Coordinates of all heavy atoms in Angstrom, one line a residue:
V32 N 16.9 -2.9 5.9 CA 17.9 -3.4 5.1 C 19.0 -3.9 6.1 O 19.6 -5.1 5.9 CB 18.6 -2.3 4.2 CG1 19.9 -2.8 3.6 CG2 17.6 -1.9 3.1
R33 N 19.2 -3.2 7.2 CA 20.2 -3.7 8.2 C 19.8 -5.0 8.8 O 20.5 -5.9 8.9 CB 20.4 -2.5 9.2 CG 21.5 -2.6 10.1 CD 21.9 -1.5 10.9 NE 20.8 -0.8 11.6 CZ 20.2 0.4 11.2 NH1 20.7 1.1 10.1 NH2 19.2 0.9 11.9
Y34 N 18.5 -5.0 9.3 CA 17.9 -6.2 9.8 C 18.1 -7.4 8.7 O 18.3 -8.5 9.2 CB 16.5 -6.1 10.3 CG 16.4 -5.2 11.5 CD1 15.5 -4.2 11.6 CD2 17.2 -5.5 12.6 CE1 15.4 -3.5 12.8 CE2 17.1 -4.7 13.8 CZ 16.1 -3.7 13.8 OH 16.1 -2.9 15.0
R35 N 17.7 -7.1 7.6 CA 17.8 -8.1 6.5 C 19.3 -8.7 6.4 O 19.5 -9.9 6.4 CB 17.4 -7.6 5.1 CG 17.5 -8.6 3.9 CD 17.7 -7.9 2.6 NE 18.9 -7.1 2.5 CZ 19.1 -6.1 1.7 NH1 18.0 -5.8 0.9 NH2 20.2 -5.4 1.7
D36 N 20.2 -7.8 6.4 CA 21.7 -8.2 6.4 C 22.1 -8.9 7.6 O 23.1 -9.7 7.5 CB 22.5 -7.0 6.2 CG 22.3 -6.2 4.8 OD1 21.6 -7.0 3.9 OD2 22.8 -5.2 4.6
Q37 N 21.4 -8.7 8.7 CA 21.7 -9.5 10.0 C 20.9 -10.9 10.0 O 21.1 -11.6 10.9 CB 21.4 -8.6 11.2 CG 22.1 -7.5 11.4 CD 21.6 -6.6 12.5 OE1 20.5 -6.8 13.0 NE2 22.3 -5.5 12.8
G38 N 20.3 -11.2 9.0 CA 19.6 -12.5 8.8 C 18.0 -12.5 9.4 O 17.5 -13.7 9.5
H39 N 17.5 -11.4 9.7 CA 16.1 -11.4 10.1 C 15.1 -11.5 8.9 O 15.5 -11.0 7.8 CB 15.7 -10.1 10.8 CG 16.5 -9.9 12.1 ND1 16.2 -10.3 13.3 CD2 17.7 -9.2 12.3 CE1 17.0 -10.0 14.2 NE2 18.0 -9.3 13.7
A40 N 14.1 -12.2 9.1 CA 13.1 -12.5 8.1 C 12.3 -11.3 7.9 O 12.1 -10.5 8.8 CB 12.2 -13.7 8.5
L41 N 11.7 -11.2 6.7 CA 10.8 -9.9 6.5 C 9.7 -9.8 7.5 O 9.4 -8.7 8.0 CB 10.3 -10.0 5.0 CG 9.4 -8.8 4.6 CD1 10.0 -7.5 4.8 CD2 9.0 -9.0 3.2
H42 N 9.1 -10.9 7.8 CA 8.0 -10.9 8.7 C 8.4 -10.4 10.2 O 7.7 -9.7 10.9 CB 7.1 -12.2 8.9 CG 7.9 -13.3 9.6 ND1 8.9 -14.1 9.0 CD2 7.8 -13.7 10.9 CE1 9.4 -14.9 10.0 NE2 8.7 -14.7 11.1
Q43 N 9.6 -10.7 10.5 CA 10.2 -10.2 11.7 C 10.4 -8.7 11.8 O 10.0 -8.0 12.7 CB 11.5 -10.9 12.1 CG 11.5 -12.4 12.5 CD 12.7 -13.1 12.5 OE1 13.6 -12.9 11.7 NE2 12.9 -13.7 13.6
V44 N 10.9 -8.2 10.6 CA 11.1 -6.8 10.5 C 9.8 -6.0 10.5 O 9.6 -4.9 11.2 CB 11.8 -6.5 9.1 CG1 12.1 -5.0 8.9 CG2 13.3 -7.2 9.1
L45 N 8.8 -6.5 9.9 CA 7.5 -5.9 9.8 C 6.9 -6.0 11.2 O 6.2 -5.0 11.6 CB 6.5 -6.6 8.8 CG 7.0 -6.4 7.3 CD1 6.1 -7.2 6.4 CD2 6.8 -4.9 6.9
A46 N 7.1 -7.0 12.0 CA 6.6 -7.1 13.3 C 7.3 -6.1 14.2 O 6.6 -5.6 15.0 CB 6.7 -8.5 13.8
A47 N 8.5 -5.7 13.9 CA 9.2 -4.7 14.7 C 8.7 -3.3 14.4 O 9.0 -2.4 15.3 CB 10.7 -4.8 14.4
L48 N 7.8 -3.1 13.5 CA 7.3 -1.7 13.3 C 6.2 -1.5 14.3 O 5.7 -0.3 14.3 CB 6.5 -1.8 11.9 CG 7.5 -1.6 10.6 CD1 6.7 -1.7 9.4 CD2 8.3 -0.4 10.7
K49 N 5.8 -2.4 15.1 CA 4.9 -2.1 16.2 C 5.2 -0.8 17.0 O 4.4 0.0 17.3 CB 4.5 -3.4 17.0 CG 3.9 -4.5 16.3 CD 2.4 -4.1 15.8 CE 1.9 -5.3 15.1 NZ 0.8 -4.9 14.1
D50 N 6.5 -0.9 17.4 CA 7.0 0.3 18.2 C 6.8 1.6 17.4 O 6.4 2.6 18.1 CB 8.4 0.1 18.5 CG 8.6 -1.0 19.5 OD1 7.7 -1.4 20.2 OD2 9.7 -1.6 19.6
V51 N 7.1 1.7 16.1 CA 7.0 2.8 15.4 C 5.4 3.2 15.3 O 5.1 4.4 15.4 CB 7.5 2.7 14.0 CG1 7.3 3.9 13.0 CG2 9.0 2.4 14.0
E52 N 4.6 2.2 15.1 CA 3.1 2.4 14.9 C 2.6 3.0 16.2 O 1.8 4.1 16.2 CB 2.4 1.1 14.6 CG 2.9 0.6 13.4 CD 2.2 -0.8 13.2 OE1 1.6 -1.4 14.1 OE2 2.8 -1.5 12.2
V53 N 3.0 2.6 17.3 CA 2.5 3.0 18.7 C 3.0 4.5 19.0 O 2.2 5.3 19.3 CB 2.9 2.1 19.8 CG1 2.6 2.7 21.1 CG2 2.2 0.8 19.7
Q54 N 4.3 4.7 18.7 CA 4.9 6.0 19.0 C 4.3 7.1 18.1 O 4.1 8.2 18.6 CB 6.4 6.0 18.8 CG 7.1 5.1 19.8 CD 8.6 4.9 19.5 OE1 9.1 5.5 18.4 NE2 9.3 4.2 20.3
N55 N 4.0 6.8 17.0 CA 3.5 7.8 15.9 C 2.1 7.9 15.8 O 1.5 8.7 15.1 CB 4.1 7.6 14.6 CG 5.6 8.0 14.7 OD1 6.0 9.2 14.9 ND2 6.5 7.0 14.4

Side-chain angles (χ1 to χ4, degrees):
V32 171
R33 196 168 44 251
Y34 287 131
R35 176 200 65 203
D36 293 348
Q37 293 172 356
H39 297 276
L41 178 57
H42 74 276
Q43 292 172 310
V44 177
L45 292 172
L48 285 177
K49 294 294 180 201
D50 292 336
V51 174
E52 296 168 9
V53 171
Q54 291 173 357
N55 290 298

